[in-house]
Amino acid sequence: RTIGDRIGEAKASGNLGNTLKILGQFDEAVVCCQRHLDISREQGDKVGEARALYNIGNVYHAKGKHLSWNTAQDPGYLPQEVKDTLQKASEYYERNLSLVKELGDRAAQGRAYGNLGNTQYLLGNFSEAIAFHKERLAIAKEFGDKAAERRAYSNLGNAHIFLGRFDISAEYYKKTLQLSRQLRDQAVEAQACYSLGNTCTLLQDYEKAIEYHLRHLVIAQELGDR
């Protein structure tokens, strides 16, 4: 501010916003991120504007998740305050998405799609969530980003469960399992086995369910995860 560096001030405000978000001070975080957005617009800095929109979406997303922890309910059955907060997150991600499309930034589009999928899932809009996660998946494959691909499969599996499409969920979870082994991520492998166990139970394939749950148990023991 002293040296009149507006872009520097915008970036610093954005960083403050992200830090306050991590500290759980969501309302203060929004104020800082909004300053980042306002200055970026004033300076005609499209990249800064896109980043600020994404960060505000992140703050509302984190606030919504934080508020919903106290309600421990299935996605879609949320108190109005939580719904409103997640809806705001979704709106900012949408605005970010249209701007990064304009900028031709595919990696940023991938991040926006993933977060839109997650907010729509929490809001109980499972078909919309699936559409967004499929976009996320396509971009992850484009970039050879195996970790993002793995997350997309997992999220697609979760959303299909709520639509009662257990067989499709099982296919996505199997892909999650495959990739978690490729990535040598045992905790995620255990999670995938757990999801597959539950899905096989829903499909009434109890032999398979036992197999997956045993695998989950073995990994949990190996990781000392009580």
Side-chain angles (χ1 to χ4, degrees):
R1 276 181 183 158
T2 310
I3 61 172
D5 175 0
R6 293 294 276 167
I7 297 276
E9 186 185 337
K11 283 181 181 167
S13 297
N15 289 335
L16 263 172
N18 290 338
T19 310
L20 287 162
K21 178 196 77 180
I22 293 164
L23 290 168
Q25 295 172 30
F26 303 115
D27 298 337
E28 294 94 324
V30 169
V31 173
C32 291
C33 291
Q34 186 64 48
R35 192 180 302 131
H36 183 193
L37 180 61
D38 294 341
I39 300 172
S40 298
R41 280 191 179 143
E42 164 209 303
Q43 297 292 316
D45 174 8
K46 291 280 195 192
V47 173
E49 185 183 337
R51 199 161 287 157
L53 288 167
Y54 181 77
N55 288 343
I56 298 174
N58 271 176
V59 175
Y60 283 120
H61 196 168
K63 184 182 179 180
K65 283 203 281 198
H66 178 77
L67 290 170
S68 68
W69 282 337
N70 311 324
T71 62
Q73 281 167 321
D74 278 343
Y77 298 93
L78 298 166
Q80 197 54 48
E81 186 192 3
V82 181
K83 275 187 184 168
D84 292 345
T85 306
L86 290 168
Q87 200 51 60
K88 270 187 187 162
S90 207
E91 281 159 23
Y92 278 100
Y93 287 142
E94 289 272 15
R95 285 160 67 186
N96 164 263
L97 179 61
S98 69
L99 191 48
V100 293
K101 275 183 177 172
E102 198 184 302
L103 294 166
D105 185 342
R106 287 294 279 166
Q109 287 170 44
R111 287 191 291 275
Y113 280 126
N115 280 317
L116 277 163
N118 291 334
T119 48
Q120 290 304 313
Y121 172 81
L122 290 171
L123 285 164
N125 303 329
F126 303 114
S127 299
E128 288 90 333
I130 287 166
F132 285 128
H133 284 308
K134 280 184 173 169
E135 294 284 356
R136 177 67 192 111
L137 179 62
I139 295 173
K141 284 179 171 174
E142 217 173 279
F143 280 89
D145 183 343
K146 293 288 184 194
E149 190 183 333
R150 199 276 306 152
R151 286 194 301 274
Y153 284 136
S154 189
N155 289 327
L156 282 162
N158 294 342
H160 278 94
I161 287 281
F162 282 96
L163 292 176
R165 299 176 189 154
F166 307 135
D167 47 345
I168 299 174
S169 285
E171 289 314 307
Y172 281 124
Y173 288 142
K174 279 174 192 165
K175 286 178 172 161
T176 308
L177 182 57
Q178 214 177 331
L179 275 175
S180 65
R181 284 176 178 158
Q182 266 181 42
L183 293 163
R184 294 199 167 86
D185 187 334
Q186 278 205 299
V188 174
E189 184 183 338
Q191 251 170 4
C193 289
Y194 176 77
S195 298
L196 273 164
N198 289 339
T199 310
C200 287
T201 301
L202 292 167
L203 288 165
Q204 300 183 344
D205 185 349
Y206 303 117
E207 293 299 319
K208 268 271 176 253
I210 289 167
E211 230 173 89
Y212 284 122
H213 284 310
L214 280 171
R215 179 75 195 124
H216 174 217
L217 178 62
V218 169
I219 300 173
Q221 287 168 340
E222 275 173 26
L223 295 175
D225 182 344
R226 301 285 286 173

